Amino acid sequence: MNGRLKAAGGAVGGGLLVAGTTSDAGKSVVTAGICRWLARQGVRVAPFKAQNMSLNSFVTREGAEIGRAQAMQAAAARVEPTALMNPVLLKPGSDRSSQVVLLGKPVGELSARGYHAGRQEQLLGTVTDCLAELRRTHDAVICEGAGSPAEINLRRTDIVNMGLARAARIPVVVVGDIDRGGVFASFFGTTALLSKEDQALVAGYLVNKFRGDVTLLEPGLAMLRGLTGRQTLGVLPFAHGLGIDEEDGLRVSLRGAVRESAVAPPHGAEVLRVAVCAVPLMSNFTDVDALAAEPGVVVRFVDRAEELADADLVVLPGTRGTVRALEWLRARGLADAIARRAAEGRPVLGICGGFQMLGELIEDEVESKAGTVEGLGLLPVRVRFAAEKTLARPAGTALGEPVEGYEIHHGVAEVTGGDEEFLDGCRAGSVWGTHWHGSLESDGFRRALLRRVAADAGRAFVPAPGTCFAALREEQLDRLGDLIEEHADTAALLRLIEEGVPDGLPFVPPGAP
């Protein structure tokens, strides 16, 4: 297969764009699944998303910030993630503005109107150059769209859906979530709202999250082909826990697999309850997936003070708005509840923005421009926001175990005391804080921390000795590859990747207005 792809494309690898009828139709999962299926066939494949809007991001080895979905898709493809795979990342700071990260580095804040009014079009050349470079160095590149390709109000400035497909001349497969209902109307309407030139690139459909007897669906698929001239390339069954580290929302990543499947009983006599404060603009909440993967650890997201009462560990996660999140904690009574926990010696863990909130003082003229703000005062730390963002992949030891992580933050922490160092942060009593995301994926360290938490909480909880988070993630990515291999028309997908857009795809009226 590897040779066939190269023979078909010469010096340029094949390409495919996975679009969706809506947001959360399953584009990220399908893209990852195709990447894993191709990688298992020996194909050198890479993922690509021209523009991603997400608060869940990752740092590559060269120090570039990209969306976590693309990092996980790279893992599915068995390649190292790079900035080329997600050249434009938008990190919302409010309902109307986002930080723009270009080729892995922040370049400023823009309103949605400002971005779509001109900046987005200027980025098309950068995006197509990145895709061309990936196609030059790989046999195939599987691109993920964003939202819907039929967002006709945004088509003129589109660089991630049909705008990208047109510029790169790659075929498009549209994914629809049948679990939401209306999938046939969504497929037809999506196609019929595209211009004649855009429709010429839409090569077929994929039904996602189907429950029941597929033969009952077949008459509708035949009628859809009659109406559009395009075949459905697969019906993917509904399966629990098949999300990866997608853009935003709490239904995604490995946590879904753990919470929705048969969970192993606790290794010790008791479970350990973890409450994660669902702060505004929460980012990289995937940090707690490794906790949820542990047998006997129950993870839930909370937004009320009373929900902390029975928690053995409270986690303050990262956030794109540290000062705003701090105000939210105080307004909802969560700040007082956390302070009472600390006074009682009950464990609290702050990660990145959560670490900053636990400190004594925050000086912020960058993110919120709020000036000097008092923190929760539970850690001897002062934070000053710097204009330049820290992007790093640190490694070290903590609690006698090796740890790896990644850092994404403007806040610079000055640690002035504490009972012990903790990664780049500290511990004071039962309160822990660090800027390191991803540290809980280090198995030995995670188990050591859980033993400390269980001791402080007075729980007869014992971490299971054999839990390997990396192995669980690999199993999940293999399940995605199985989904494509077993339920999609892989021969048809391969033809699209190798040969490009098929000739003679009919126009479906009325087309773009």
Side-chain angles (χ1 to χ4, degrees), residues 382-457:
R382 294 186 169 222
V383 177
R384 176 184 55 81
F385 274 64
E388 184 174 351
K389 181 184 282 190
T390 296
L391 297 170
R393 289 279 293 271
T397 59
L399 304 180
E401 298 286 348
V403 190
E404 293 183 359
Y406 58 98
E407 295 184 66
I408 307 170
H409 54 92
H410 282 279
V412 178
E414 179 189 1
V415 179
T416 60
D419 297 321
E420 66 177 299
E421 294 182 359
F422 182 62
L423 305 176
D424 71 336
C426 66
R427 176 186 68 84
S430 61
V431 181
W432 308 72
T434 177
H435 270 135
W436 291 22
H437 293 292
S439 61
L440 294 168
E441 296 179 19
S442 298
D443 297 325
F445 165 72
R446 181 180 65 253
R447 287 192 278 269
L449 180 64
L450 289 175
R451 283 192 289 270
R452 291 283 292 270
V453 168
D456 286 348

Side-chain angles (χ1 to χ4, degrees), residues 146 247 291 300 350 358 392 394 425 437 446 485 497 512:
E247 295 176 0
L291 295 179
R300 66 182 189 273
L358 290 170
H437 293 292
R446 181 180 65 253
E485 187 170 346
I497 296 168

Side-chain angles (χ1 to χ4, degrees), residues 69-82:
Q70 281 61 66
M72 289 302 99
Q73 288 163 354
R78 296 176 175 153
V79 295
E80 188 69 29
T82 73

